[in-house]
Amino acid sequence: MSIVLNHTIVPAADKLAAATFFAELMGLTVSAVAGPFAPVPVNGDLTLDFDDRRRVEPGHYAFLVDDDTFDAVLGRLATWPAVEYGSGPEHGWDRQVNHLAGGRGVYVHAPDGHSYELFTAVP
């Protein structure tokens, strides 16, 4: 059996708000609250469990996505002027896309300080 990441806990100031932001960004759905978690299934193997019981330490979460998903996320970001995003840490939140490894990539700054990275090709 290979190793598969099944779930991870994402610290949040408000678990429902953070889960909703991520789900709407990615075109996903927040599942029913399960104990202390607001879960967002990402795919058949991975769920992000948003949890507001601890102090938020901003993290980085990176996702390899297909072109259609990438385009959909960019479309949503275009309608969210308050959400910062950009081509990479060295460029700040420049509202641009990078073209590393022959694909496209973008970093999104979530309200809790996390960065969600989406890319279409593995560098």
Side-chain angles (χ1 to χ4, degrees):
M1 177 178 178
S2 62
I3 298 172
V4 176
L5 180 63
N6 176 263
H7 67 278
T8 192
I9 296 171
V10 180
D14 177 327
K15 67 184 174 192
L16 289 174
T20 300
F21 174 84
F22 176 75
E24 288 180 359
L25 174 70
M26 301 297 281
L28 302 170
T29 304
V30 179
S31 293
V33 171
F37 306 116
V40 179
V42 175
N43 56 43
D45 294 317
L46 176 63
T47 298
L48 297 188
D49 290 325
F50 291 82
D51 181 1
D52 55 12
R53 296 175 296 161
R54 297 179 187 93
R55 186 182 70 190
V56 176
E57 293 287 337
H60 177 77
Y61 303 87
F63 301 91
L64 176 61
V65 299
D66 61 30
D67 285 314
D68 290 341
T69 300
F70 193 89
D71 290 339
V73 169
L74 282 182
R76 286 187 280 280
L77 287 170
T79 67
W80 296 350
V83 176
E84 297 176 315
Y85 69 92
S87 58
E90 64 279 0
H91 302 290
W93 306 111
D94 61 3
R95 301 187 80 78
Q96 299 296 312
V97 171
N98 68 51
H99 298 282
L100 301 175
R104 297 179 294 160
V106 69
Y107 294 76
V108 179
H109 189 225
D112 280 329
H114 301 301
S115 72
Y116 297 122
E117 179 184 4
L118 290 82
F119 52 93
T120 61
V122 178

